[in-house]
Amino acid sequence: MKIATFNINGVKARLPALLDWLAEAAPDAVVLQEIKSTDEAFPRTEIEDAGYSVATHGQKGFNGVAILSRLPPEDVTRGLPGDDSDEQARWIEATVGGNLRLCGLYLPNGNPAPGPKYDYKLAWMDRLRARVADLLAAEEAAAILGDFNVIPEAVDCHDPAVWAADALFLPETRAAFRRITNLGLTDALRSVNAEPGVYTFWDYQAGAWRQNHGIRIDHVLLTPQAADRLLACGVDAEIRDRERPSDHVPVWAEITA
DNA sequence: ATGCCTTGCGGAGCAAGA
């Protein structure tokens, strides 16, 4: 079973690019972030025609996540537990293939830091930690994947000095990320590839893609029971070179059925 | 350089992203 995460940066603006990638990469299940669409406006029919069932958790204009699955996603839940007043659409869960829980997330950016947006990011990460603790306690196969807006290590960006004061790379951000992974999650990409300079995002500005000034912020984290089944993991960086691309590229993992 | 692009919203020019 091939799973993937893709920050699509506007699903309506990016529909041809998404359909092309789905046809080529042929993932069995995908979590999308930044669909920037309500549930009603999501291009459901076009994606169903490509062979996927669709579960969305959208909002108007910003954010928004979705799960696409060859087999109908089961037991879908929407919204990260822990704050009923949080109206931002950043979390969706479903069971796919009968035996893998997918948790798709769009973690807050947090800039500028310090400030209320950074406080929201850290509070959201604390809620994520609580959900991950529950998933681990269940001792079942789960993948927590999406746009984490966290650069875990210096090797995950072209120039650490550029990112030193940024909400994606501040020591407090990286410590909050470690408090989650240290509970017992495997970073799928790093478990198969220790090379530095593997990126998943390149800014539209200042020729970042052309100069390979990227960062690795889209991650696939696995519970031990899912990590046991990991066969391969990679980044489809080549599609960043296409017409009207997202500024993120997909990260995928092959998991035994 | 609070820029540099890009999308959504709305129907001009912001807000937000990272």
Side-chain angles (χ1 to χ4, degrees):
Chain A
M1 173 167 48
K2 185 178 185 181
I3 62 172
T5 175
F6 191 4
N7 181 320
I8 197 68
N9 188 16
V11 70
K12 283 167 280 187
R14 215 71 67 198
L15 186 58
L18 176 60
L19 293 174
D20 285 349
W21 172 75
L22 286 174
E24 294 161 7
D28 295 288
V30 184
V31 300
L32 299 177
Q33 303 87 37
E34 283 204 273
I35 61 174
K36 298 186 178 180
S37 169
T38 60
D39 297 335
E40 295 73 22
F42 190 90
R44 171 181 290 272
T45 304
E46 293 87 338
I47 290 171
E48 287 176 345
D49 288 348
Y52 290 88
S53 294
V54 176
T56 60
H57 182 38
Q59 73 180 82
K60 191 179 180 73
F62 305 102
N63 306 322
V65 289
I67 292 180
L68 317 181
S69 177
R70 290 274 186 202
L71 296 173
E74 301 173 316
D75 300 321
V76 178
T77 63
R78 296 167 175 83
L80 181 63
D83 182 357
D84 292 340
S85 70
D86 184 0
E87 295 185 351
Q88 299 192 32
R90 296 180 175 275
W91 179 268
I92 187 168
E93 295 187 22
T95 300
V96 297
N99 59 5
L100 181 66
R101 191 70 175 165
L102 281 193
C103 304
L105 67 89
Y106 176 45
L107 204 149
N109 175 304
N111 281 304
K117 291 190 175 184
Y118 193 59
D119 295 340
Y120 175 67
K121 177 176 193 156
L122 293 179
W124 204 95
M125 293 180 84
D126 205 46
R127 289 161 59 198
L128 173 58
R129 183 168 59 96
R131 180 67 190 115
V132 166
D134 284 347
L135 287 164
L136 288 165
E139 298 188 350
E140 292 174 354
I144 300 94
L145 71 173
D147 176 359
F148 281 73
N149 273 316
V150 174
I151 303 167
E153 305 289 344
V155 295
D156 296 314
C157 62
H158 167 259
D159 184 357
V162 168
W163 296 94
D166 194 282
L168 280 62
F169 192 58
L170 282 171
E172 193 171 3
T173 303
R174 297 166 60 199
F177 184 76
R178 287 193 300 271
R179 280 196 290 274
I180 296 165
T181 56
N182 286 348
L183 295 173
L185 297 178
T186 294
D187 180 335
L189 191 282
R190 278 295 172 240
S191 76
V192 303
N193 180 3
E195 295 292 314
V198 178
Y199 306 134
T200 66
F201 169 92
W202 296 261
D203 200 296
Y204 288 122
Q205 305 179 76
W209 166 250
R210 182 170 40 80
Q211 300 174 81
N212 196 26
H213 292 176
I215 53 179
R216 188 174 76 98
I217 56 174
D218 300 271
H219 306 299
V220 178
L221 306 183
L222 303 175
T223 64
Q225 294 76 18
D228 289 344
R229 293 160 54 187
L230 179 63
L231 297 172
C233 181
V235 179
D236 288 342
E238 68 282 357
I239 72 168
R240 184 64 176 79
D241 214 27
R242 295 184 178 172
E243 290 271 317
R244 292 188 73 201
S246 172
D247 40 8
H248 296 250
V249 295
V251 182
W252 55 267
E254 186 76 35
I255 309 279
T256 57

